[in-house]
């Protein structure tokens, strides 16, 4: 099995003491930090921008996995790269010039990722696979944490795995949305290797460490 990365989404963190939550994540064995950027246009919610990314960069050495749910992502790539993003994932639905934007992300020394909404067929990303390091299969409609997991997306993970097998280069498969101990196993079996979770970690009744441990127990 590939090495599995756990990337907790700070969308459900306690922002009045973000540093404390991030340090608990580090000590619990989280590998990356997933930062959900929403603009109120591509998705109905508004969340964080480069300022929060640069703040996270100051408080942790974990790689910052930035998920851009925004229109015209090309206007903001430089700001997020400068803020310290290690990964920048844009949506295939976000702009007609996605290929160029992915190249720009790499030119700035950041790993490019491409995300696919639940209603978008995986074949839409076929021609950008050659310029990405990660495919993000959304397992909820983007916009909010705490939504119900769409279990049928496991088929899309499998399709992504088959497409990636034709590329002579490692490309990660990330899943995001409603991931928990209860929903994760079939997705791992289908080939996902990079796991995002917000509410399953931050709303775990026994705390953040227990939330991380519960998810990690699916592959350890
Ligand atoms: C949803 C975001 C997710 C969200 C996941 O649009 O992209 O990263 O924070 O939250 P949960 O794990 O609660 O579904
Ligand atoms: Zn996300």
């Amino acid at each position: 099995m590939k090495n599995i990365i756990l990337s907790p989404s700070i969308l459900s963190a306690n922002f009045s003491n973000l540093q404390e939550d991030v340090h608990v994540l580090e000590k619990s064995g989280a590998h990356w930090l997933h930062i959900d950027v929403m603009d109120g246009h591509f998705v109905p919610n508004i969340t964080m921008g480069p300022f929060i990314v640069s703040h996270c960069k100051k408080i942790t050495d974990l790689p910052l996995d930035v998920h851009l749910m925004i229109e015209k992502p090309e206007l903001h790539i430089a700001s997020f790269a400068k803020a310290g993003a290690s990964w920048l994932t844009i949506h295939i639905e976000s702009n007609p010039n996605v290929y160029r934007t992915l190249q720009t992300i790499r030119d700035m020394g950041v790993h490019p990722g491409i995300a696919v909404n639940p209603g978008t067929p995986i074949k839409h990303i076929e021609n950008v696979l050659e310029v990405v390091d990660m495919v993000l299969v959304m397992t909820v409609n983007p916009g909010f944490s705490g939504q119900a997991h769409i279990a049928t997306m496991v088929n899309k993970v499998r399709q992504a795995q088959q497409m990636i097998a034709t590329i002579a280069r490692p490309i990660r498969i990330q899943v995001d949305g409603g991931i928990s101990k209860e929903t994760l196993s079939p997705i791992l079996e289908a080939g996902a290797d990079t796991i995002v979770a917000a509410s399953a970690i931050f709303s775990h009744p026994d705390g953040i460490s227990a939330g991380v441990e519960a998810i990690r127990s699916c592959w350890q």
Side-chain angles (χ1 to χ4, degrees), residues 7 9 11 34-38 65-69 91 136 138 140 142-143 174-177 196-197:
S7 186
S9 160
L11 193 54
H34 186 83
I35 302 175
D36 286 305
V37 176
M38 306 186 190
D65 164 32
V66 180
H67 178 191
L68 296 181
M69 288 160 275
H91 274 256
L136 165 51
M138 290 303 299
V140 295
Q174 186 171 56
V175 283
D176 182 6
V196 176

Side-chain angles (χ1 to χ4, degrees), residues 2 32 34 65 67 87-93 102 106 111-117 120-139 153 155-167 169-176 187 191-196:
K2 289 182 272 188
W32 298 355
H34 186 83
D65 164 32
H67 178 191
W87 292 79
L88 272 173
T89 297
I90 61 172
H91 274 256
I92 191 71
E93 305 88 358
L102 291 164
R106 194 180 296 287
H111 292 288
I114 190 72
V116 193
N117 275 345
T120 304
I122 193 73
K123 65 175 187 294
H124 286 210
I125 66 162
E126 193 174 354
N127 295 104
V128 300
L129 274 185
E130 63 203 34
V131 288
V132 302
D133 290 339
M134 183 159 71
V135 170
L136 165 51
V137 176
M138 290 303 299
T139 48
M153 290 302 129
N155 296 322
K156 202 186 277 187
V157 172
R158 208 169 286 119
Q159 289 169 338
Q161 164 89 317
Q162 286 161 2
M163 280 170 69
I164 285 169
T166 66
I167 309 282
R169 199 165 53 76
I171 298 177
R172 305 201 70 87
I173 302 179
Q174 186 171 56
V175 283
D176 182 6
I187 295 173
D193 55 40
T194 309
I195 311 305
V196 176

Side-chain angles (χ1 to χ4, degrees), residues 10-22 52 55 59 202 208:
I10 60 166
L11 193 54
S12 297
N14 173 12
F15 270 77
S16 60
N17 200 348
L18 183 61
Q19 185 162 1
E20 171 63 19
D21 276 11
V22 169
I52 295 288
H55 180 66
I59 63 175
F202 290 99
I208 293 172

